[in-house]
Amino acid sequence: MRSLNRITVSSLAVLLLILSGVITSSPASAAAQDCVRFLDAAGYTIGPVVRGACLTGSAIGGGVGADHKERCRSQLMSVKVSSEHARTACNLA
């Protein structure tokens, strides 16, 4: 139940960012789209957690720290993306 609440909170945060217009078209968001497209082509369901992870990997939602790629991978793996696919997707972001 606790992890479900975390996923729900993460999903809502991503949705609020998108709806508030904070995320605009930029090279970083294009990179996030590369991450999303890769995962879509690999057969994964694209939902708010995947989109949020890709944004984190592109540093739009990940802050300035060097660990944004690792947070991206961790978020993707939390929704059952394989380690190898998560690594590739986050490197694209």
Side-chain angles (χ1 to χ4, degrees), residues 6-72:
R6 253 184 278 155
I7 290 171
T8 301
V9 168
S10 296
S11 300
L12 288 173
V14 170
L15 182 62
L16 286 174
L17 281 173
I18 291 169
L19 291 177
S20 69
V22 170
I23 300 170
T24 60
S25 182
S26 68
S29 64
Q33 277 301 106
D34 291 341
C35 171
V36 169
R37 278 193 284 271
F38 170 80
L39 292 169
D40 185 47
Y44 293 98
T45 300
I46 305 303
V49 174
V50 169
R51 290 186 192 284
C54 288
L55 287 171
T56 297
S58 70
I60 289 177
V64 178
D67 64 340
H68 63 277
K69 298 290 185 186
E70 182 55 40
R71 284 191 306 233
C72 172

